[in-house]
Amino acid sequence: MLTKKQHQLLLFIKERLDTVGVAPSFDEMKEALDLKSKSGIHRLISALEERGFIRRLPHRARALEILKFPETGEATKKAPAHGSAEDATVIHPDFQAKSRVTPAPPPSDDGVIELPLHGRIAAGTPIEALQDNGTTVSVPAAFVTGGDHYALQVAGDSMVEAGICDGDTILIRRADTADNGDIVVALIDDQEATLKRLRRKGDSVALEAANPAYETRIFGPERVKIQGKLVGLFRRY
């Protein structure tokens, strides 16, 4: 699910590509979306690229390619760039909702516990994640101590230097607070969930990537809610 501005920009780019064969300039995008600065357009372009909806073609000015559309989630003929969000079926990612908190089942005889796998979360620009899809993941019971837990699948590479890669399954302990430096599931504007390292300075909240290709995003404290803290990671080879 795209934000309203992201969706508007994607449609504007498509219209220009269909009519004149070249993407609009940042100034044209800014005017079309009624934004005050080009930095806002840069953030929207980065968000669309990181979520796999567009790709910037190297060594060419104003060269953008649309890879897929949110209405269907279907990719175009060319493969999405790395870190794309392939599943566009989403619902609101409020992992702290009281009605969704259920006690973890007791471990099996072999010391394994089944936890809900709530779907995909972006380690990149935020995407909304699937919830309550009935899927579970088997986790060693020793990983689940002190609190309610759930699992998510990582989409994207913005946390790769923290050892978190695209396709990994992460274990999250529900929490609404975290310390500086913790890797958290953060809910932005009650709409978008992302996996990032938390930094606080004064009244600002920074969501920091672990990949120099991604910028740190800074918000007012009222815009960010902590949904949980990273406590484990699983990877298949």
Side-chain angles (χ1 to χ4, degrees):
M1 187 179 214
L2 298 176
T3 65
K4 182 179 179 180
K5 288 294 186 183
Q6 289 166 1
H7 192 266
Q8 288 175 347
L9 182 59
L10 185 63
L11 292 179
F12 182 58
I13 294 170
K14 180 182 184 300
E15 178 186 0
R16 284 301 185 91
L17 289 174
D18 288 345
T19 55
V20 300
V22 64
S25 69
F26 272 34
D27 283 324
E28 291 170 330
M29 296 179 198
K30 178 171 70 75
E31 183 177 349
L33 272 67
D34 194 27
L35 296 180
K36 294 181 179 179
S37 70
K38 287 189 287 188
S39 63
I41 294 297
H42 174 75
R43 288 192 293 270
L44 291 172
I45 287 288
S46 296
L48 290 171
E49 184 178 27
E50 291 158 11
R51 294 171 66 178
F53 288 97
I54 64 173
R55 176 164 51 199
R56 281 183 272 204
L57 304 180
H59 313 301
R60 293 172 57 186
R62 294 174 58 176
L64 296 174
E65 177 187 17
I66 293 180
L67 300 174
K68 66 179 183 180
F69 298 95
E71 288 80 6
T72 63
E74 295 178 356
T76 60
K77 292 181 180 179
K78 295 187 178 181
H82 68 278
S84 63
E86 295 176 355
D87 192 341
T89 306
V90 296
I91 66 171
H92 194 284
D94 186 356
F95 300 116
Q96 293 292 80
K98 298 293 185 182
S99 62
R100 298 191 184 109
V101 178
T102 56
S108 61
D109 293 338
D110 57 359
V112 172
I113 194 169
E114 295 293 321
L115 291 179
L117 178 63
H118 284 325
R120 292 167 66 85
I121 187 167
T125 295
I127 60 174
E128 289 187 334
L130 290 168
Q131 280 217 104
D132 299 332
N133 56 9
T135 304
T136 61
V137 61
S138 299
V139 176
F143 278 51
V144 182
T145 58
D148 188 55
H149 294 71
Y150 59 90
L152 294 167
Q153 186 179 36
V154 175
D157 64 353
S158 79
M159 298 301 292
V160 67
E161 292 190 4
I164 304 169
C165 301
D166 183 49
D168 285 348
T169 299
I170 54 174
L171 179 62
I172 303 296
R173 182 172 64 241
R174 294 183 194 267
D176 55 14
T177 61
D179 296 326
N180 271 342
D182 285 344
I183 297 176
V184 302
V185 173
L187 182 66
I188 301 171
D189 295 333
D190 291 324
Q191 296 182 38
E192 301 173 308
T194 189
L195 183 74
K196 287 291 181 294
R197 193 177 299 278
L198 178 73
R199 302 287 186 191
R200 287 194 177 94
K201 186 174 182 180
D203 290 334
S204 297
V205 176
L207 299 179
E208 180 182 276
N211 182 335
Y214 294 81
E215 64 181 11
T216 296
R217 303 185 70 192
I218 300 175
F219 302 91
E222 73 283 351
R223 297 184 60 191
V224 177
K225 297 178 182 177
I226 305 304
Q227 301 282 281
K229 298 197 294 185
L230 177 72
V231 296
L233 181 147
F234 305 92
R235 181 177 301 153
R236 292 184 178 181
Y237 292 94

